[in-house]
Amino acid sequence: MIVAVCSLSGAPGVTSLATAVAACWPSTPLTVPVLVEADASGGDVASWYGIDLGREQKGLVPLAAASRVPVPVSAGAWAEAGVVNAVAAGSPVLDHAVELPGGLRVVAAPADPLEAGRAVAALAHNPALLRAGRVTVLDVGRAVPGSAGASLVRCADIVVVLADPGDVGHANRLRVCAPVLASLKEDGVRVGLAVAGTCPHPDQEVSRLFGLPVWACIPHDPAGAALVRGEHRPPTRLRDRWAAWRSQRRDPDGMEWMPLVKTAKSLAELCDDFSGLGLDGQGQNTTAVSAA
């Protein structure tokens, strides 16, 4: 399954949201979520975590090169054949991923936009490689219609559009791109909004205006955003300190006191439910996930 996270105007935290969703995905022995930075403007994760892609010989560029060869046997087929490490054997995406602290696997993009753009374009010619694993979360960044990133979006099963309807530019871009998003739904792709920023309109009105369900309301959470970037930043707001204390009494290793983590977990579970329900895009009721 491919879950694409993108924006239509700028990229208001697309990488942070995609990383958090992949990290919070409900994984199983045969469901190892992998984050793929497919942003043609360049990647951030390698810089955040100090990854030397050249030394590691992993990342988006080698994955794009591997997309030029036939996709190997799927992980499910390996498992049926009795291969013990079925996930790794059947997923070239995992072969090109590095493991971040905490266990998240990431195929990081180079920071150079020219190099990243070429890799995204090559991958867009053979996106079937992304299905060799069980769950691939794509960070597409800004999905410009007609671009290689937009081509990858069309290959996804679920598309999360991060937008700020309270911003005039974002709202106008959503209206202009409504036919493109509608065509995705007609092709059987589930499309929903993740609302960022301060929106003056309720979720139901946003859904009615743009013809898309609101799946998540992304909170302003500096501590959660810092955690996603690999930084440790203790909570400063009184309510955050109180929430952290209460949460850590129940689960010392838990991070759900952070609004961003809590929201990303709910969004990941929602997308995971979609993969199991097998409902078409037209029959989906609006589901809002929010954290304050």
Side-chain angles (χ1 to χ4, degrees):
M1 180 176 64
I2 300 175
V3 179
V5 183
C6 66
S7 170
L8 299 176
S9 180
V14 172
T15 300
S16 295
L17 179 60
T19 303
V21 168
C24 295
W25 197 274
S27 60
T28 69
L30 284 180
T31 306
V32 179
V34 183
L35 172 69
V36 176
E37 268 194 304
D39 188 344
S41 65
D44 295 319
V45 173
S47 300
W48 289 350
Y49 287 89
I51 301 171
D52 186 343
L53 295 177
R55 182 175 62 84
E56 295 281 351
Q57 295 185 342
K58 294 184 178 182
L60 186 68
V61 173
L63 178 64
S67 70
R68 298 187 177 95
V69 300
V71 178
V73 180
S74 67
W78 282 113
E80 291 176 2
V83 177
V84 176
N85 194 9
V87 174
S91 179
V93 179
L94 278 175
D95 291 339
H96 295 89
V98 296
E99 185 173 338
L100 302 183
L104 176 62
R105 314 290 183 87
V106 177
V107 177
D112 182 0
L114 182 60
E115 191 177 8
R118 288 172 176 169
V120 172
L123 191 59
H125 281 91
N126 187 12
L129 186 74
L130 299 172
R131 295 191 181 278
R134 299 303 296 271
V135 177
T136 300
V137 179
L138 283 179
D139 166 22
V140 181
R142 182 177 177 180
V144 179
S147 66
S151 298
L152 287 177
V153 168
R154 301 201 72 88
C155 300
D157 303 291
I158 299 171
V159 176
V160 180
V161 181
L162 184 60
D164 181 0
D167 180 273
V168 175
H170 278 253
N172 187 53
R173 187 62 60 88
L174 272 175
R175 292 190 186 94
V176 171
C177 294
V180 177
L181 298 175
S183 68
L184 287 175
K185 295 172 67 177
E186 291 171 359
D187 291 340
V189 180
R190 288 184 175 275
V191 186
L193 289 176
V195 176
T198 303
C199 181
H201 310 292
D203 293 348
Q204 293 80 2
E205 186 174 348
V206 172
S207 297
R208 181 180 58 81
L209 287 173
F210 303 111
L212 294 173
V214 176
W215 287 345
C217 296
I218 310 303
H220 176 65
D221 180 13
L227 177 69
V228 168
R229 295 192 300 268
E231 304 170 4
H232 174 68
R233 183 177 299 176
T236 56
R237 296 184 299 183
L238 178 60
R239 67 174 182 177
D240 288 345
R241 294 201 300 269
W242 172 252
W245 179 79
R246 290 186 60 190
S247 175
Q248 290 172 358
R249 284 192 64 186
R250 297 188 300 268
D251 180 5
D253 298 324
M255 293 293 178
E256 288 187 45
W257 62 268
M258 297 183 183
L260 177 60
V261 174
K262 183 178 179 180
T263 301
K265 184 171 187 264
S266 297
L267 182 56
E269 290 174 347
L270 181 67
C271 293
D272 187 48
D273 287 343
F274 287 161
S275 69
L277 289 173
L279 301 175
D280 59 28
Q282 301 299 322
Q284 170 60 27
N285 295 324
T286 300
T287 304
V289 179
S290 64

